[in-house]
Amino acid sequence: MSRPVAISVGEITKAAKATVEKALGGHKAAFPVIPPHRIGFVPPYWWYGFVIYDAQIDKLGLGEAQKLATEVHVGIAGSVASVKGGKPGVICGDGNLTIGFAPPPEINLIEQ
């Protein structure tokens, strides 16, 4: 069986919207209300996830942030099989929190 070499931006974004909302909703201690966020590739094509601007980082431990990233990755991979080999993670800087995953190494094309 051949392995996927591309992912569809539209397909992954559709799956991500509901997954991110559900994952954030499950972390009420850190996010009593779902914070404003942006979903997409950050920077383009290197990382897929969502950014919370001016995040209340002091309310979210690294372990919980990593758990959130894993939940988002698993949820998206359930709908978009080509991202199952991705690596979830968290990037924190300048008050912003980026939660998501790096696409699998074999993915070398992002289709619009």
Side-chain angles (χ1 to χ4, degrees), residues 51-58 91-98:
V51 178
I52 300 172
Y53 299 99
D54 298 320
Q56 302 296 318
I57 298 169
D58 57 329
I91 301 170
C92 180
D94 293 332
N96 301 324
L97 186 60
T98 304

Side-chain angles (χ1 to χ4, degrees), residues 3-6 46 82-87 101-109:
R3 297 181 60 104
V5 294
W46 295 349
S82 60
V83 301
K84 284 185 180 176
K87 302 295 179 200
F101 60 93
E106 62 271 10
I107 298 296
N108 58 21
L109 176 65

Side-chain angles (χ1 to χ4, degrees), residues 27-94:
H27 292 263
K28 294 283 188 201
F31 306 107
V33 295
I34 295 177
H37 57 278
R38 180 179 293 183
I39 297 173
F41 287 91
V42 185
Y45 313 125
W46 295 349
W47 184 268
Y48 192 82
F50 64 103
V51 178
I52 300 172
Y53 299 99
D54 298 320
Q56 302 296 318
I57 298 169
D58 57 329
K59 295 181 181 179
L60 182 70
L62 183 58
E64 188 174 359
Q66 182 63 41
K67 182 179 177 186
L68 183 56
T70 300
E71 290 170 8
V72 168
H73 176 250
V74 167
I76 294 171
S79 297
V80 184
S82 60
V83 301
K84 284 185 180 176
K87 302 295 179 200
V90 178
I91 301 170
C92 180
D94 293 332

